[in-house]
């Protein structure tokens, strides 16, 4: 599309943050819910499959969590929950960008255990790499 267009699927909801990946999108609503839409071919939508979603769909894996921030990479995502935990899902690729110590694709959000005991305050997902900032000012890659 050549001009900006309002995403009508969010009518009646307050969206507080958005992030756009290669061909997918994430949004956080005021209640801490995460919504995704676009190309899900590498599991990056977080619904447990590789389907395309033309309209925003809530990621049910976060039903018992409140998400504070998201960042979309090329074909994967990072999220911080209000307890400071970091979650990742989507394409595991060749670079370990999901942070689970392997290259496995994750079809659902999975907590990154390497941050256990740390409070993560910021995240950034690149094309094939990730960064995190902890409350003590340490940068992790």
């Amino acid at each position: 599309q050549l001009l900006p267009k309002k995403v009508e699927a969010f009518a009646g909801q307050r969206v507080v943050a958005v992030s756009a990946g290669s061909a997918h999108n994430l949004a956080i609503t005021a209640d801490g819910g995460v919504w995704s839409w676009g190309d899900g071919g590498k599991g990056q939508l977080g619904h447990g499959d590789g389907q395309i979603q033309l309209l925003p769909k809530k990621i049910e894996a976060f039903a018992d969590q409140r998400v504070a921030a998201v960042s979309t990479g090329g074909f994967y995502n990072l999220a911080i929950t209000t307890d400071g935990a970091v979650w990742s899902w989507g394409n595991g690729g060749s670079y370990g960008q999901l942070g689970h110590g392997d290259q496995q694709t994750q079809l659902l959000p999975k907590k990154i255990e390497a941050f256990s005991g740390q409070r993560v305050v910021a995240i950034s997902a690149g094309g094939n790499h990730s960064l995190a900032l902890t409350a003590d000012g340490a940068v992790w890659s």
Side-chain angles (χ1 to χ4, degrees):
Q1 77 192 31
L2 299 177
L3 294 171
K5 181 180 173 185
K6 185 191 287 187
V7 179
E8 296 294 342
F10 288 115
Q13 295 192 63
R14 189 166 147 255
V15 175
V16 297
V18 295
S19 187
S22 180
H24 72 288
N25 309 290
L26 296 178
I28 303 175
T29 48
D31 64 357
V34 181
W35 300 71
S36 64
W37 68 104
D39 180 8
K42 297 186 183 292
Q44 64 267 41
L45 298 185
H47 302 297
D49 58 33
Q51 300 298 307
I52 292 172
Q53 292 292 326
L54 298 179
L55 297 172
K57 180 177 177 181
K58 193 169 191 176
I59 299 177
E60 295 302 329
F62 287 119
D64 296 330
Q65 301 281 337
R66 286 184 59 88
V67 174
V70 292
S71 182
T72 52
F75 300 97
Y76 76 102
N77 308 292
L78 301 172
I80 303 175
T81 47
T82 55
D83 61 358
V86 181
W87 302 71
S88 66
W89 66 100
N91 183 25
S94 301
Y95 305 100
Q97 63 263 30
L98 297 184
H100 302 295
D102 58 30
Q103 297 169 332
Q104 297 296 310
T105 291
Q106 297 294 326
L107 300 179
L108 295 168
K110 181 178 178 180
K111 190 175 187 178
I112 301 176
E113 296 301 333
F115 291 117
S116 180
Q118 299 286 332
R119 181 165 185 82
V120 176
V121 297
I123 48 173
S124 184
N128 293 303
H129 68 290
S130 303
L131 291 174
L133 175 67
T134 51
D136 61 1
V139 176
W140 298 66
S141 71

